[in-house]
Amino acid sequence: MAEQQEQAAADAMTTRIGQVAMLLHGGDREEARGRFLDLWAEIGEDGDALHRCTLAHYMADAQDDPSDELAWDLRALSAADELTDARTAEPHRSLAVRAFYPSLHLSLAADYVKLGRSEAARSHLRRARDTVGVLGDDAYGDGIRAGIGRLELRLDEEGPSGGAPEAAPGEGRGPGGETLGPPRQRP
């Protein structure tokens, strides 16, 4: 009985995070930031790592400052790293964590590009490329692979020294205006 209640509470938090993500994707970044912060406080620093990972990954998109975006994406990666095989014995959780890594590393690479830190961006882009094999041949996987390709092209154009100018706040778009980072969806 207690296990069923814990599962229901976990599912409720996932639903609540998803609802705020829809608000964010609807364009209300400020409101989404506030609600994500409320959920973050509710989950707590030591709360469910999958919830922290999911929430932080979305919260990064709600940031206006690239340094804040980086900080939230680093929190998401840290939470994902806490989800060891022992803690992800449930098959759907284990898959969710593995499927997060390509997106997390792609997001971090895009963050570092925005901050003019090309070597760090390349490092995370390699990690994204190395982990992308866990993704399916679906819209989510295709979006992550396309994001990796776009960011690789941008970094290749900059050359090994990262000679392109630093992106202004709010930038981080490809040559056609597309977002360099991944689509934010639950894997």
Side-chain angles (χ1 to χ4, degrees):
M1 178 82 152
E3 187 175 315
Q4 289 174 335
Q5 289 174 335
E6 286 178 23
Q7 183 63 37
D11 291 344
M13 180 56 73
T14 300
T15 299
R16 292 169 63 200
I17 292 169
Q19 289 169 338
V20 178
M22 289 189 305
L23 183 66
L24 172 65
H25 292 185
D28 197 343
R29 294 164 57 89
E30 188 174 334
E31 180 69 21
R33 269 194 305 267
R35 290 187 187 191
F36 278 140
L37 284 173
D38 290 344
L39 290 175
W40 185 259
E42 190 175 326
I43 293 168
E45 291 289 328
D46 297 320
D48 184 283
L50 186 58
H51 291 153
R52 286 186 288 121
C53 178
T54 305
L55 190 149
H57 196 39
Y58 282 121
M59 180 63 145
D61 280 347
Q63 302 307 305
D64 294 326
D65 183 289
S67 295
D68 293 337
E69 185 175 359
L70 173 63
W72 281 103
D73 277 329
L74 287 170
R75 283 182 187 104
L77 181 62
S78 177
D81 287 344
E82 289 178 33
L83 288 162
T84 62
D85 289 337
R87 291 187 67 190
T88 57
E90 299 171 55
H92 74 279
R93 293 192 115 199
S94 180
L95 176 61
V97 172
R98 287 192 314 268
F100 260 126
Y101 279 104
S103 179
L104 291 170
H105 287 295
L106 177 56
S107 293
L108 286 162
D111 296 342
Y112 283 120
V113 165
K114 292 175 192 175
L115 293 168
R117 297 176 56 189
S118 296
E119 285 309 308
R122 284 182 174 85
S123 174
H124 281 282
L125 198 54
R126 279 190 297 277
R127 291 178 186 157
R129 175 68 71 196
D130 291 346
T131 58
V132 78
V134 301
L135 300 179
D137 290 328
D138 55 15
Y140 178 77
D142 292 346
I144 298 296
R145 284 185 283 277
I148 291 170
R150 286 190 303 269
L151 198 52
E152 284 175 336
L153 285 174
R154 179 171 177 179
L155 288 170
D156 286 348
E157 289 173 0
E158 290 180 5
S161 64
E166 185 176 324
E171 288 186 8
R173 304 243 176 234
E178 69 277 8
T179 302
L180 286 174
R184 299 292 173 117
Q185 300 175 12
R186 278 196 44 215

